[in-house]
Amino acid sequence: MKHFLVVVDMQKDFVDGSLGSSEAQSIVSSAAEKIRNFDGKIFVTLDTHSADYLSTSEGKKLPVEHCIKGSDGWELDNDISSALSQKDYTAVEKPIFGSLILPELIRKEAENDDFTVELMGLCTDICVISNALILKANFPDADISVDSKCCAGVTPALHEAALSTMKSCQINVM
């Protein structure tokens, strides 16, 4: 049995940058600890936008520049980056909430073996839930879980709502 960890968008702009929050900052330590203790393959998603972000559909609905490729805010949080420095991981850039490439990378890495996928990161109610649902749709019989203590939402209420929705979709919430 193979085990995969998906670290969702633990980037500076979501932790303490342009879209950061105290809730996001509060999970960094536990997220870094989970990474250090994880025995398996890790995938790290990176929300990735270009300089024309504000003219995109997302930018018109969320007019806050963030995660512009190459900017400091696009980089991983320092504690997360440090935890990953001794790990085998694959970075996955994504232009919107969920990655359609991630399931293919996991399928290739699984090599037809059974596997589990655990997700954590930011934001529970946007990118974590999007990736969890994409993975569940691609791997309906796989054990897909999310660590609620290593996730933060845009607000605590939205975090809880996303966890409830994931439970309804047969994603294990720990």
Side-chain angles (χ1 to χ4, degrees):
M1 171 88 55
K2 294 187 177 180
H3 303 285
F4 303 120
L5 177 65
V6 179
V7 178
V8 179
D9 297 359
M10 290 295 295
Q11 294 159 273
K12 292 178 182 179
D13 272 347
F14 291 126
V15 174
D16 57 9
S18 60
L19 292 173
S21 69
S22 58
E23 292 85 9
Q25 292 167 33
S26 74
I27 69 158
V28 170
S29 176
S30 22
E33 186 67 19
K34 180 173 281 291
I35 291 167
R36 282 192 287 275
N37 293 324
F38 186 75
D39 185 24
K41 175 70 177 177
I42 300 174
F43 295 92
V44 178
T45 69
L46 297 167
D47 196 47
T48 303
H49 301 294
S50 59
D52 69 344
Y53 170 76
L54 293 176
S55 68
T56 67
S57 177
E58 179 184 331
K60 290 174 184 168
K61 292 181 172 113
L62 178 63
V64 179
E65 285 189 342
H66 64 282
C67 298
I68 306 298
K69 187 171 183 171
S71 71
D72 188 57
W74 179 74
E75 299 294 330
L76 290 169
D77 171 85
N78 291 338
D79 291 341
I80 299 300
S81 183
S82 176
L84 286 165
S85 67
Q86 301 299 315
K87 295 292 186 173
D88 174 26
Y89 75 93
T90 298
V92 182
E93 293 181 16
K94 58 184 191 51
I96 193 73
F97 315 121
S99 171
L100 298 177
I101 297 167
L102 184 59
E104 296 308 317
L105 295 171
I106 289 173
R107 187 173 283 113
K108 181 179 178 183
E109 192 71 31
E111 299 176 321
N112 294 319
D113 290 338
D114 288 336
F115 61 90
T116 66
V117 180
E118 183 176 344
L119 295 98
M120 65 176 198
L122 304 168
C123 291
T124 318
D125 51 307
I126 303 173
C127 295
V128 174
I129 193 171
S130 294
N131 283 288
L133 291 172
I134 288 169
L135 290 171
K136 192 63 179 174
N138 275 270
F139 308 113
D141 293 324
D143 183 9
I144 311 284
S145 61
V146 62
D147 186 339
S148 64
K149 301 286 189 224
C150 291
C151 292
V154 173
T155 67
L158 290 173
H159 168 76
E160 291 300 325
L163 294 175
S164 179
T165 298
M166 287 188 274
K167 283 181 190 174
S168 294
C169 293
Q170 302 178 356
I171 293 164
N172 302 316
V173 176
M174 308 180 328

